[in-house]
Amino acid sequence: MTDKVGFIGTGIMGLPMASNVIRAGYPVWVFARTQDKALPLIQVGATLCDSPRQVTEHADVIITIVGDTPDVEQIVLGDQGVIEAAAPGKVLVDMTTSSASSARNLATRLSEKRMDMLDAPVSGGDIGAREGTLSIMVGGNPAVFERVKPLFEAMGENVVLVGDHGAGQVAKACNQLLVAQHMYATAEALLLAKAAGVDPGRVREALLGGFAASRVLDCHGQRMLNRNFVPGFKAKLHQKDMRIVLQTMGDCHLDLDGTKLAAEGINRTVDAGYGELDTTALLQVLEARNHLKLS
Amino acid sequence: MTDKVGFIGTGIMGLPMASNVIRAGYPVWVFARTQDKALPLIQVGATLCDSPRQVTEHADVIITIVGDTPDVEQIVLGDQGVIEAAAPGKVLVDMTTSSASSARNLATRLSEKRMDMLDAPVSGGDIGAREGTLSIMVGGNPAVFERVKPLFEAMGENVVLVGDHGAGQVAKACNQLLVAQHMYATAEALLLAKAAGVDPGRVREALLGGFAASRVLDCHGQRMLNRNFVPGFKAKLHQKDMRIVLQTMGDCHLDLDGTKLAAEGINRTVDAGYGELDTTALLQVLEARNHLKLS
């Protein structure tokens, strides 16, 4: 029997993800704080609800993909929230990038009502969401994961159960700290080439065949060379994600100075007024410090 | 007509590279400071010479792959050096990782004798050298590059002319700063996963499908998980290469703090007594600071 699916959050990510779920044949109930944003889904057959609670009453699997950790907590635990209609057999799937500790806490709260939860943040941006090629990092119970997997596969390609509750969010934190540091390194490498009188585009090409190769050098490096700072993934969202990384690091009593440096770089990108640009606008911060333009 | 090839330097990289050149059918003349090291090449048909000058008298293309910038300068400009037998039509190909400014200087000095030069450092380690799968980053004249290209293809797979004299060394500097920062980021990500109670190996797998993917997360990440610090690429050699990176950065009046942080990490790796281990032993420095073992 096909699960009935609830969707809470219809932003730049949630809208195309929900569209792919509807296209895959799932019946969908939807809630959005700004109801207009759900209209494109209503037009293709989704049913509009007036609260997370109402979504949960109708659906078996309730997907949340909203702004930040407190938004998820409000949707689940707040007035007219998911928990008010929690019931055995239902599953909350939070695909927001939020904190692992919050994911564990919500899982515990829902388990008291015998409702399951998976944390399942994504990587791949709005393009991945539209094309159904997201990477999905999942934390939770293996049997629940297997049940929801076909639904994940309507939205993504690389779907991995990383571990228990919170493990998906931990993997996403690791993802974001790697991307931030790889961006920092890519910008520095391209600037060094430029300053040394060598074509940075040729250097990028030469290095993509060797040990320095990364998806960031490939994709974000080309963006930097093109000065294409149209998001993509906004710097202010990367900043929010790095706050979660630093919080997780602090919770674990770790001192990771590469991560701190990269997070500061993204803070400076937002402070410089580039928060609405793609996170690769970090390049402009490093350019300004070095009095050098890449192209 | 097949070029006659000279090989100066028969260490962990030079020996297998020269073997591949002999296997491809080139006649080879060889010089090594420690003559015993050249014996395996003599046994397969190479001719032993007693100086770089003598190698240059016999060969058309003279390859140097030695320890560091001053070694290359000594071989070319010193007593019984390459320059004493320099002649029009001959090409010096320096495959050592050395400084771009030195490469440009040597090219100028040789051009006064109408001898050509390419700087052509490699990436891919001793495994790449043995298997003939090195990445080769080349700086110099396009016509000279085309002439030497078949010889490069006996040693490597990804052979790119990056630009004019010194451009190969600049690309290699960019390569090394990227690898150093990617290693730093990989170690931090794996430690964060571990500290947060999630299997770091599962996180690595999950992230290899997305934007955080890198060759370093793939290869060096697996080495770290296995605690396999058998080189590979020794930390003390990475330290030497990072010195060249910092020198190039200084020459260009750049302040690249991600690069500085990663270079400090590798210095601390050597200072901790891990200089003869693989450069991924950096993990142990970050582990000690955070009172946490990855595995």
Side-chain angles (χ1 to χ4, degrees):
Chain A
M1 202 188 68
T2 303
D3 274 321
K4 289 179 269 182
V5 177
F7 242 95
I8 298 172
T10 52
I12 191 171
M13 297 296 288
L15 189 65
M17 288 161 70
S19 299
N20 284 332
V21 167
I22 292 170
R23 199 170 300 128
Y26 291 89
V28 168
W29 282 258
V30 62
F31 170 76
R33 269 185 300 195
T34 314
Q35 290 206 350
D36 281 0
K37 285 197 176 177
L39 277 181
L41 299 176
I42 309 305
Q43 284 164 358
V44 291
T47 306
L48 189 65
C49 296
D50 59 17
S51 69
R53 175 193 177 134
Q54 200 184 4
V55 169
T56 309
E57 283 165 355
H58 290 289
D60 305 305
V61 179
I62 299 92
I63 293 173
T64 48
I65 179 150
V66 293
D68 202 351
T69 309
D71 303 308
V72 180
E73 290 177 343
Q74 173 65 25
I75 284 163
V76 178
L77 305 177
D79 186 40
Q80 295 295 310
V82 168
I83 204 161
E84 294 183 7
K90 291 184 190 285
V91 187
L92 174 71
V93 179
D94 181 31
M95 304 187 80
T96 312
T97 296
S98 59
S99 81
S101 56
S102 174
R104 286 164 184 157
N105 177 49
L106 290 178
T108 302
R109 293 291 300 275
L110 289 168
S111 74
E112 290 161 3
K113 308 252 177 182
R114 298 183 45 221
M115 180 163 164
D116 292 308
M117 177 172 170
L118 299 173
D119 50 296
V122 303
S123 169
D126 56 322
I127 295 173
R130 281 198 299 277
E131 297 178 350
T133 58
L134 294 168
S135 285
I136 306 180
M137 296 151 261
V138 188
N141 180 291
V144 178
F145 172 73
E146 288 304 324
R147 172 182 166 188
V148 178
K149 204 173 175 190
L151 181 57
F152 286 140
E153 287 169 345
M155 296 181 278
E157 276 180 346
N158 184 37
V159 182
V160 181
L161 179 67
V162 184
D164 206 350
H165 295 299
Q169 296 298 354
V170 169
K172 181 66 191 281
C174 294
N175 188 85
Q176 295 307 71
L177 82 81
L178 281 163
V179 169
Q181 290 193 62
H182 291 178
M183 280 204 328
Y184 216 99
T186 293
E188 290 195 347
L190 297 176
L191 286 172
L192 182 64
K194 176 75 178 183
V198 178
D199 179 354
R202 297 283 294 163
V203 169
R204 171 183 160 280
E205 276 169 47
L207 301 195
L208 282 175
F211 274 115
S214 73
R215 278 285 291 281
V216 165
L217 178 64
D218 188 355
C219 303
H220 299 61
Q222 191 58 54
R223 267 182 172 276
M224 291 177 189
L225 289 164
N226 295 347
R227 305 194 80 75
N228 171 19
F229 302 123
V230 178
F233 181 59
K234 289 181 182 177
K236 69 173 187 185
L237 293 178
H238 204 172
Q239 181 183 46
K240 176 219 106 181
D241 289 0
M242 292 308 286
R243 247 185 250 128
I244 292 172
V245 171
L246 295 179
Q247 185 202 320
T248 308
M249 189 180 99
D251 291 347
C252 296
H253 309 290
L254 293 180
D255 176 24
L256 306 177
D257 50 8
T259 298
K260 284 194 289 188
L261 182 69
E264 280 165 27
I266 293 166
N267 285 340
R268 282 200 294 270
T269 307
V270 174
D271 291 347
Y274 305 137
E276 297 292 329
L277 299 185
D278 190 76
T279 182
T280 45
L282 167 68
L283 172 70
Q284 299 186 79
V285 171
L286 302 187
E287 284 181 330
R289 182 192 306 159
N290 287 288
H291 311 291
L292 175 73
K293 264 198 136 181
L294 183 61
S295 54
Chain B
M1 202 187 68
T2 303
D3 273 321
K4 290 179 269 183
V5 176
F7 242 96
I8 299 171
T10 52
I12 191 171
M13 296 296 288
L15 189 65
M17 288 162 70
S19 299
N20 284 332
V21 166
I22 293 170
R23 199 169 300 131
Y26 291 90
V28 167
W29 283 258
V30 62
F31 170 76
R33 270 185 300 194
T34 314
Q35 289 204 353
D36 282 359
K37 285 198 178 179
L39 278 181
L41 299 176
I42 309 305
Q43 284 163 358
V44 290
T47 306
L48 188 65
C49 298
D50 59 17
S51 70
R53 176 193 176 133
Q54 200 184 4
V55 171
T56 310
E57 283 164 355
H58 289 288
D60 306 305
V61 178
I62 299 92
I63 294 173
T64 48
I65 178 149
V66 292
D68 202 351
T69 309
D71 304 307
V72 181
E73 290 176 341
Q74 173 64 23
I75 284 164
V76 179
L77 305 177
D79 184 42
Q80 296 295 309
V82 169
I83 203 161
E84 294 182 5
K90 291 184 189 287
V91 186
L92 173 72
V93 179
D94 180 32
M95 304 187 80
T96 312
T97 297
S98 60
S99 81
S101 56
S102 173
R104 287 165 182 153
N105 176 51
L106 290 177
T108 302
R109 294 290 299 276
L110 290 169
S111 73
E112 290 160 3
K113 309 249 175 182
R114 297 183 46 221
M115 179 164 164
D116 292 307
M117 176 171 171
L118 299 172
D119 49 296
V122 304
S123 169
D126 57 323
I127 294 174
R130 282 199 298 276
E131 297 179 350
T133 57
L134 294 168
S135 285
I136 307 179
M137 296 152 262
V138 189
N141 180 292
V144 177
F145 172 73
E146 287 305 324
R147 173 182 165 189
V148 179
K149 202 173 175 189
L151 181 57
F152 286 140
E153 286 168 348
M155 297 180 278
E157 275 179 346
N158 184 37
V159 182
V160 181
L161 179 67
V162 184
D164 207 349
H165 294 300
Q169 296 298 354
V170 169
K172 181 66 191 282
C174 294
N175 189 85
Q176 295 308 71
L177 81 82
L178 281 163
V179 169
Q181 290 192 61
H182 291 179
M183 279 201 333
Y184 216 98
T186 292
E188 290 195 348
L190 296 177
L191 286 173
L192 182 64
K194 176 75 179 181
V198 178
D199 179 353
R202 298 283 294 162
V203 168
R204 170 183 160 281
E205 276 170 48
L207 301 195
L208 281 175
F211 274 114
S214 74
R215 278 286 290 281
V216 166
L217 178 64
D218 189 356
C219 304
H220 300 60
Q222 191 59 55
R223 266 182 173 277
M224 291 178 189
L225 288 164
N226 295 347
R227 307 194 80 76
N228 171 18
F229 302 123
V230 178
F233 180 59
K234 288 181 183 177
K236 70 173 187 184
L237 293 177
H238 204 173
Q239 180 183 45
K240 176 220 107 184
D241 288 1
M242 292 307 286
R243 249 186 247 128
I244 292 172
V245 171
L246 295 178
Q247 184 201 322
T248 308
M249 190 180 97
D251 291 348
C252 295
H253 309 291
L254 292 181
D255 175 25
L256 305 176
D257 50 8
T259 298
K260 285 193 288 188
L261 181 69
E264 281 165 27
I266 293 165
N267 285 341
R268 280 200 296 269
T269 306
V270 175
D271 291 347
Y274 306 136
E276 298 292 328
L277 298 186
D278 190 75
T279 182
T280 45
L282 167 69
L283 171 70
Q284 299 188 78
V285 171
L286 302 188
E287 284 181 331
R289 182 192 305 159
N290 287 288
H291 312 289
L292 176 71
K293 264 198 138 182
L294 184 60
S295 54

